[in-house]
Amino acid sequence: MTRIITAQPLTRENFAEFGQVIEIGGDDHFPINGGKAERFHALAAADAAGPDARVLISTVRGTPYEFPLKLAMVERHPLGSQAFIPLDRRPFLVVVCHDEDGRPGMPHAFLTAPGQGINYPRNSWHGVLTPIGEAQDFAIVDRGGDGNNLEEFFFEEPYEIRLPEAAR
Ligand SMILES: NC(=O)N[C@@H](O)C(=O)O
Ligand code: NI
């Protein structure tokens, strides 16, 4: 029987056990530049480990996925964190799993608010970047360097990921 998961709205609170939300908002904020700007400080931290590790900033143009989504695989990056910050202020899908003895547990699906980005801590299970409806550009902050920084896990049976009614 297909296991169905419906995405929930992403909040700092409901994502906290998986990673960080990157948005205009947060407790640690203060004016800079003589008050001409408000900085929302240290929402997340980039983590880069292993040989020749460095933090990279890239961009990506993501192609949208069909929904309901067949989630067959999740991945993780053992040597570094990975952040996706939308350059187009539209929602996208975020899928994460707790680790259970080296394997991903049940997926948790979230729908971002327009403009929200996320940071996956090092070695945390997640679905690949999943735009909705149309191509979407993102900035990526993640780890470069030597060594293998990708571990993929394929589920025996894919999950079906649905968007909340309002987002369909
Ligand atoms: N490889 C890459 O830039 N992206 C993936 O790791 C992903 O999580 O989408
Ligand atoms: Ni990734």
Side-chain angles (χ1 to χ4, degrees), residues 23-100:
E23 60 186 344
I24 294 294
D27 302 335
D28 185 3
H29 61 92
F30 45 86
I32 57 171
N33 304 343
K36 296 294 282 182
E38 187 75 7
R39 179 176 171 132
F40 295 87
H41 185 61
L43 297 175
D47 179 8
D52 192 29
R54 60 204 186 284
V55 174
L56 300 179
I57 299 174
S58 310
T59 56
V60 64
R61 176 156 295 165
T63 302
Y65 285 73
E66 292 297 316
F67 282 85
L69 178 77
K70 286 277 178 249
L71 180 77
M73 184 275 287
V74 289
E75 61 170 42
R76 64 181 177 179
H77 308 297
L79 299 175
S81 59
Q82 188 170 57
F84 292 97
I85 303 162
L87 304 178
D88 299 322
R89 291 178 62 85
R90 288 197 316 280
F92 65 101
L93 181 77
V94 172
V95 176
V96 287
C97 308
H98 286 302
D99 183 61
E100 295 176 357

Side-chain angles (χ1 to χ4, degrees), residues 75-77 82 84 120 124 126-129 142 150:
E75 61 170 42
R76 64 181 177 179
H77 308 297
Q82 188 170 57
F84 292 97
Y120 301 126
S124 57
H126 58 274
V128 297
L129 179 63
D142 63 2
L150 175 63

